[in-house]
Amino acid sequence: MSSTTRTMAAPRTRVVLAALLRKELRVELRSFEAVPAMSLFSVTTFVLFHFALQRNALSGDLASGVLWVTLLFAAMLGINRLFVADAEQGGFDGFLLSPADRSVLLYSKALTLLAYLLVLEVVAVPAFALLLLGSALWPALPGLLVVLALGDLGIVVIGTLVGALAVRTSVRDLLGPMISLPLLVPVLLCAARATSPVLGAVGAGALPLRWLVTLALYDLVFGLITFAVFDFLLED
Amino acid sequence: MAVLAALELRGLTRRYGERLALADVTLSVAAGQTLAVLGPNGAGKTTLLRLLATLLRPHGGEVSVLGHALPDEGWAVRGRIGLLGHEPLLYRELSARENLAVYAALHGLDGEARAEELLAAVAMERRADEPLRTLSRGMVQRVAVCRALLHDPELLLLDEPRANLDPAASELVEPLIGRASGRTRVIVSHDPAGVLAEADLVLGLVRGRVQVLAGAAELDPAALVELYR
Amino acid sequence: MYGKRLRPLALTTFAALTLTLVLAFFWAPNDANQGFLQKIFYLHVPLAIVTLCGFVYAGLAAIAHLRTRDSRWDMRSYVAIHLSLVFGVAVLVSGSIWAKGSWGVWWDWSEPTLVSFLLVMLLYATYQPLRFAIEDPERQARYASVFAITAGAFVPINFVIVRLSTAYLHPRVLGDISANLPGRFQVVFYLSLVSMALLWITLWRYEMTSKHASAQLRALKRLLAGDEDEALPRRSAVPTLSVGAGGAGSSGVGAAR
């Protein structure tokens, strides 16, 4: 044994999490690899929908479908980038060499993806209201925020898992969306159904509770699955 | 105090698919000693290093690092090992100070003073606030030395640690990762002549099998030539 | 290990399938509304159930793989997904034919079972590409198991959610079978379910036997060649079994004798 007696207390989760989040923020602010692309992509997609559907204003089912499909595809860009810096620059190994709890990496990545999505929506939702939405945004906003929160949660738990699954493969940009999109269909389905009455042509309708509960349960189940299997993606 | 083995391998085996990457490696390294690992490409040198670093699990045999059996007690030795390999394990967008701050937090250290001390030792304190992508490979390697030593590890695992360093930089890191550091070391090298001078024990691997295992003093130079044939 | 009793199993499966077909065509009455076309139901529905059970089994085997790190569990999971994918294509084709016959369209979005099934197939279609894209065999096995567990959980949940989303337009053959179907239908249906399950199990065991045999063959070849000058194995999506050639390996060769 080494002659120096060292206290080998495990590093505190909160300290590690704060350090990892600070790292994520700095890397993104300096490289601009994810968030600007996601936001710009969403606005471009709204323009595409305008021409593809040949409509100036959308409401109801169509509005909610266009909004959610756009958000989902924009989220794919973030999911694909989420672990790239760690896989390419050795952050995974550096993390595994430390005594820090493995699940802190999951928490930090999930929170990072959530932050990506929030910034995306700060850009995409007003842009959508401006460019495509037939009715006013303000009355619909409270209901929309609830659905967005639950939808984001679903994208976060599945995106973090699939991002980690795909990043160390030879075709990660393809596998990420191919695996995560089918898994996200129930999220899309529930979120789109819950959003469509809110974006109704004759003013915001009530939130359909059934879809919100289903969505929340789906988030919960896949949150637990992601938590349970994430560690196995780290070790070698 | 009796000299305890810092590393104890008995019949260590690791497969890569159906192929054996390491077969039946048995050796023991006392605390404070240096093991040099030599061999041609694909001999299993890096695999051995990653196994000792707890990044890979052994498939057979017993591995004990700093008195703890792997892989079950990996948690106990993480944080007491410093790995310095081909990859710096640093974020290119972050500066040296920021990278070291992340690692200090991962190791549960308040490492600012230690980081400054190390950065000064490798003469990087002036450029420690620039993103690593703007630095040369040799400079990044010097920061990587700081990263590997930040938590004052008892065991150093070095994979060609001086590969990107010029002679001056090599001299700078010598007190940190050289023999004088007093740490137990495992050095992987392609340069037998250079590494023999600082080794106590030499392990020669060929296709994952032990071909040479001898004290550095009594090593037959012909055996090394044979190793790379 | 898997080769044992394979022949009697195969014969039983063959007999059960023959009996199912004979009874379905000559003994079960023709459906009042759909007539002869309804016979495809005896193929389609049991096949779909067996396929989904196969996916769920693959997820359970994957859990066992992650817990034990035994590559044989990965092989079980892999073969199960592989087989269920093949069965699944048959389900989609037979379902499409049935839809064309009874509703006049090849595809019907208001049929939740069909839609959920398509989603499940789309997801599992990425299993082989995922495996193939990971070179390190051990990591490949582990990542594939993570996928199989996630997808295995997705199977039932997805069915519930898609069904919630669709109005109940079509006869629910699955849910309330005893209420809807007269006696003879039921007998043939359950018999068909058993035969399809037997078919799946037989094919599964057959492929497991073959994979084991080739792993042993490679191990023996390696032993004979003295492990010298061995080329790196080709990149592959097939799990690597750690089989010893002399029974020394943990998952010994003797098991298959």
Side-chain angles (χ1 to χ4, degrees):
Chain A
M1 280 299 128
S2 133
S3 52
T4 49
T5 35
R6 304 204 300 168
T7 47
M8 292 303 298
R12 295 240 298 281
T13 299
R14 208 176 329 146
V15 178
V16 177
L17 184 59
L20 289 179
L21 287 176
R22 211 159 35 235
K23 180 259 293 177
E24 295 290 341
L25 182 69
R26 281 190 176 132
V27 169
E28 177 58 23
L29 283 181
R30 285 176 202 171
S31 63
F32 289 123
E33 279 184 341
V35 175
M38 292 163 75
S39 307
L40 190 62
F41 177 85
S42 69
V43 177
T44 313
T45 309
F46 292 142
V47 175
L48 288 179
F49 270 120
H50 158 73
F51 289 113
L53 300 172
Q54 302 187 31
R55 297 271 202 102
N56 293 331
L58 305 176
S59 63
D61 285 349
L62 203 52
S64 113
V66 165
L67 178 63
W68 276 103
V69 166
T70 305
L71 289 179
L72 215 55
F73 278 114
M76 287 302 128
L77 301 180
I79 292 170
N80 274 347
R81 302 306 303 174
L82 191 58
F83 287 94
V84 169
D86 307 270
E88 283 181 352
Q89 295 159 38
F92 273 134
D93 282 352
F95 180 81
L96 294 180
L97 282 167
S98 80
D101 186 359
R102 309 288 173 99
S103 41
V104 184
L105 185 64
L106 169 63
Y107 303 147
S108 77
K109 287 299 178 182
L111 287 173
T112 304
L113 182 56
L114 184 64
Y116 285 5
L117 293 176
L118 292 179
V119 178
L120 163 71
E121 281 150 13
V122 164
V123 175
V125 172
F128 178 70
L130 202 70
L131 296 172
L132 285 176
L133 190 60
S135 51
L137 177 65
W138 294 116
L141 200 57
L144 189 57
L145 286 180
V146 174
V147 190
L148 281 173
L150 286 174
D152 285 355
L153 208 57
I155 297 175
V156 162
V157 294
I158 288 167
T160 312
L161 177 63
V162 176
L165 191 65
V167 73
R168 289 203 284 186
T169 65
S170 54
V171 286
R172 60 172 163 237
D173 295 335
L174 292 177
L175 275 174
M178 269 167 58
I179 299 175
S180 53
L181 284 175
L183 287 171
L184 283 168
V185 166
V187 172
L188 174 80
L189 194 156
C190 294
R193 299 258 169 160
T195 311
S196 60
V198 176
L199 300 180
V202 290
L207 270 179
L209 203 62
R210 180 167 73 135
W211 295 114
L212 292 182
V213 172
T214 313
L215 182 53
L217 283 176
Y218 192 80
D219 294 352
L220 181 69
V221 170
F222 275 88
L224 291 175
I225 291 173
T226 300
F227 182 77
V229 297
F230 190 77
D231 275 12
F232 292 101
L233 298 177
L234 294 180
E235 62 174 79
D236 247 321
Chain B
M1 197 165 113
V3 183
L4 274 162
L7 287 180
E8 187 88 63
L9 312 183
R10 225 168 295 134
L12 168 65
T13 299
R14 166 87 194 184
R15 282 182 301 271
Y16 183 88
E18 297 179 352
R19 202 171 55 107
L20 282 168
L22 281 176
D24 201 17
V25 179
T26 300
L27 59 85
S28 162
V29 180
Q33 285 203 319
T34 297
L35 168 72
V37 184
L38 302 169
N41 292 327
K45 305 187 295 293
T46 305
T47 306
L48 177 64
L49 220 54
R50 289 180 66 82
L51 266 160
L52 296 178
T54 73
L55 292 174
L56 288 178
R57 300 172 68 94
H59 285 147
E62 289 166 36
V63 185
S64 151
V65 175
L66 301 172
H68 292 277
L70 295 187
D72 295 340
E73 293 174 21
W75 51 270
V77 290
R78 276 178 213 124
R80 295 168 66 188
I81 303 172
L83 175 70
L84 184 59
H86 293 280
E87 308 272 327
L89 309 188
L90 297 166
Y91 290 93
R92 283 157 33 83
E93 296 294 335
L94 300 187
S95 71
R97 282 203 177 90
E98 289 163 346
N99 266 302
L100 294 180
V102 173
Y103 279 100
L106 286 180
H107 284 276
L109 304 168
D110 181 21
E112 208 171 317
R114 170 83 178 149
E116 289 306 320
E117 180 193 321
L118 286 167
L119 285 170
V122 298
M124 280 298 296
E125 73 271 39
R126 276 170 205 283
R127 309 204 55 182
D129 287 319
E130 296 170 35
L132 295 186
R133 68 181 149 75
T134 64
L135 304 181
S136 72
R137 289 203 61 156
M139 291 179 185
V140 173
Q141 182 70 3
R142 280 190 264 164
V143 180
V145 170
C146 300
R147 191 262 307 148
L149 292 173
L150 188 64
H151 51 292
D152 197 16
E154 295 151 60
L155 172 65
L156 270 182
L157 305 171
L158 309 169
D159 197 346
E160 298 197 66
R162 297 178 187 84
N164 294 313
L165 297 178
D166 58 33
S170 255
E171 213 141 292
L172 279 177
V173 302
E174 188 55 33
L176 298 172
I177 62 171
R179 200 176 182 76
S181 68
R183 302 171 210 276
T184 313
R185 298 183 304 157
V186 178
I187 307 181
V188 165
S189 179
H190 284 296
D191 169 30
V195 80
L196 276 183
E198 52 176 337
D200 299 298
L201 197 64
V202 176
L203 169 68
L205 289 173
V206 174
R207 286 202 195 87
R209 282 166 179 75
V210 179
Q211 183 145 330
V212 178
L213 180 61
E218 60 258 30
L219 185 70
D220 177 13
L224 282 184
V225 178
E226 189 72 12
L227 201 58
Y228 289 94
R229 244 164 43 94
Chain C
M1 179 188 224
Y2 301 97
K4 242 193 299 178
R5 299 191 306 274
L6 191 55
R7 189 188 302 250
L9 183 66
L11 290 174
T12 315
T13 306
F14 183 73
L17 277 173
T18 316
L19 183 66
T20 307
L21 286 178
V22 168
L23 289 183
F25 283 113
F26 300 110
W27 185 65
N30 269 357
D31 184 84
N33 300 321
Q34 303 187 11
F36 185 73
L37 182 80
Q38 186 266 345
K39 305 285 187 208
I40 205 167
F41 156 88
Y42 298 119
L43 173 72
H44 173 73
V45 179
L47 213 52
I49 295 173
V50 169
T51 303
L52 296 174
C53 290
F55 284 139
V56 173
Y57 169 75
L60 297 175
I63 293 176
H65 171 243
L66 290 185
R67 291 177 74 102
T68 62
R69 297 171 193 283
D70 183 341
S71 58
R72 282 174 298 174
W73 281 112
D74 179 42
M75 184 59 98
R76 289 178 188 133
S77 179
Y78 169 84
V79 173
I81 289 178
H82 181 96
L83 252 182
S84 275
L85 270 172
V86 176
F87 273 51
V89 172
V91 172
L92 286 176
V93 170
S94 62
S96 210
I97 293 172
W98 195 15
K100 179 68 181 168
S102 44
W103 309 317
V105 284
W106 291 110
W107 186 258
D108 186 358
W109 285 107
S110 59
E111 172 52 52
T113 327
L114 208 56
V115 175
S116 338
F117 203 91
L118 179 66
L119 285 179
V120 167
M121 290 294 286
L122 284 176
L123 179 61
Y124 277 98
T126 60
Y127 177 75
Q128 298 260 3
L130 172 70
R131 291 199 77 115
F132 190 72
I134 304 173
E135 215 159 326
D136 182 330
E138 195 173 307
R139 188 194 294 166
Q140 182 193 91
R142 215 151 14 78
Y143 278 37
S145 286
V146 166
F147 176 94
I149 292 169
T150 313
F154 177 76
V155 168
I157 299 169
N158 166 58
F159 267 77
V160 171
I161 290 183
V162 175
R163 177 161 296 187
L164 270 178
S165 76
T166 331
Y168 288 63
L169 287 179
H170 302 298
R172 303 252 56 82
V173 282
L174 247 164
D176 36 20
I177 190 143
S178 48
N180 264 0
L181 294 172
R184 284 190 178 185
F185 282 108
Q186 268 194 56
V187 170
V188 180
F189 173 78
Y190 285 119
L191 182 66
S192 171
L193 188 58
V194 171
S195 346
M196 291 303 168
L198 278 173
L199 180 65
W200 193 95
I201 292 168
T202 309
L203 291 174
W204 182 83
R205 291 185 67 126
Y206 185 79
E207 197 176 338
M208 287 300 292
T209 313
S210 134
K211 288 280 193 292
H212 251 255
S214 47
Q216 286 159 12
L217 188 64
R218 276 197 303 277
L220 283 169
K221 273 184 181 162
R222 259 201 316 280
L223 202 69
L224 285 174
D227 219 10
E228 292 293 313
D229 297 321
E230 184 193 346
L232 264 175
R234 207 159 43 87
R235 188 166 143 196
S236 153
V238 183
T240 313
L241 282 177
S242 44
V243 185
S250 56
S251 51
V253 129
R257 278 185 203 127

